[in-house]
């Protein structure tokens, strides 16, 4: 979905696929609709996030047996302060959604009382995958070129923070409540 687009979910589609070839065709169609443009880092930089949710059902099942989310995030970009127009607006929206994702990761890592999923559409869509039964694999694309070292360091720092997040983490308040209940139960047993 493109950033700043109020109708992003209206453009989302749900399709049933019959097999691998059908799925590949659908993914190719989605890739054609994806926003890209040339940046100082590469000729076809993703200027939109791409989310593909796969729900696999067993025969006769109502609920999916497996839910997967494949997410390709648009890269953040540092623009000169004087930059304006559609490109700058697009970059601001990308950076805001990545920042919101970073906030959720930070909250999960620190078992915060509030997890800010509602900050943006990206984090709202990914919320179910951050639950205790979720698993995340993060691939970070970095550049070996010295001139891109600052961006590489930022990407690696993001990956490091993300790797320390605890999925389905109880908040600090829930942990304290559980400890207090345990102490009360223990005291009750002694009495």
């Amino acid at each position: 979905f493109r950033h700043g687009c109020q109708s992003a979910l209206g453009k989302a589609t749900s399709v049933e696929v019959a097999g691998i070839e059908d799925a590949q065709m659908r993914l190719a169609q989605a890739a054609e609709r994806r926003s890209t443009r040339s940046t100082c880092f590469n000729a076809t930089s993703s200027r939109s996030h791409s989310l593909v949710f796969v729900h696999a059902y067993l025969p006769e099942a109502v609920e999916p047996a497996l839910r997967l989310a494949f997410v390709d995030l648009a890269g953040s970009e540092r623009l000169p302060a004087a930059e304006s127009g559609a490109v700058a607006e697009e970059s601001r929206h990308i950076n805001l959604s990545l920042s919101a994702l970073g906030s959720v990761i930070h909250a999960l890592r620190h078992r915060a009382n509030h997890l800010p999923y509602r900050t943006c559409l990206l984090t709202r869509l990914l919320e179910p995958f951050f639950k205790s039964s979720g698993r995340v694999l993060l691939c970070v694309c970095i550049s070996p070129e010295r001139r891109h070292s600052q961006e590489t360091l930022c990407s690696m720092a993001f990956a490091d923070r993300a790797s320390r997040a605890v999925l389905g983490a109880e908040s600090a308040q829930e942990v304290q409540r559980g400890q207090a209940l345990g102490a009360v139960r223990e005291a009750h047993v002694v009495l």
Side-chain angles (χ1 to χ4, degrees):
F1 60 89
R2 290 180 189 215
H3 309 283
C5 178
Q6 295 297 326
S7 60
L9 285 179
K11 293 180 181 180
T13 57
S14 177
V15 294
E16 192 171 314
V17 293
I20 298 295
E21 294 82 18
D22 193 16
Q24 289 173 332
M25 180 189 72
R26 297 296 186 166
L27 289 172
Q29 289 171 343
E32 288 174 12
R33 293 191 341 224
R34 188 137 188 225
S35 174
T36 61
R37 73 171 169 77
S38 179
T39 68
C40 62
F41 294 108
N42 68 52
T44 55
S45 177
S46 300
R47 305 319 304 151
S48 61
H49 300 317
S50 175
L51 287 80
V52 176
F53 297 107
V54 176
H55 294 196
Y57 292 85
L58 294 173
E60 310 292 325
V62 177
E63 287 293 314
L66 176 69
R67 294 176 191 199
L68 297 172
F70 295 95
V71 181
D72 183 4
L73 299 172
S76 65
E77 190 171 331
R78 287 179 175 74
L79 293 175
E83 187 76 37
S84 63
V87 171
E89 187 67 19
E90 178 182 72
S91 292
R92 271 192 288 282
H93 285 291
I94 289 169
N95 291 341
L96 284 171
S97 65
L98 292 173
S99 177
L101 180 59
S103 294
V104 168
I105 288 169
H106 178 82
L108 285 167
R109 181 176 172 199
H110 295 284
R111 298 176 184 238
N113 291 331
H114 171 69
L115 299 173
Y117 293 118
R118 294 181 182 218
T119 307
C120 78
L121 181 59
L122 174 66
T123 53
R124 271 186 266 159
L125 291 171
L126 295 176
E127 180 180 358
F129 297 92
F130 289 119
K131 303 294 181 188
S132 61
S133 60
R135 300 289 179 265
V136 174
L137 172 64
L138 178 66
C139 298
V140 178
C141 297
I142 57 174
S143 173
E145 294 184 35
R146 183 179 203 94
R147 64 188 173 114
H148 299 228
S149 62
Q150 189 58 42
E151 290 297 322
T152 295
L153 286 172
C154 287
S155 296
M156 295 303 289
F158 179 82
D160 181 57
R161 287 190 305 274
S163 72
R164 297 170 194 270
V166 180
L167 298 183
E170 294 180 293
S171 71
Q173 192 174 33
E174 290 169 333
V175 170
Q176 289 172 348
R177 188 179 306 126
Q179 290 171 343
L181 281 173
V184 168
R185 285 187 187 117
E186 210 172 279
H188 180 64
V189 169
V190 172
L191 295 175

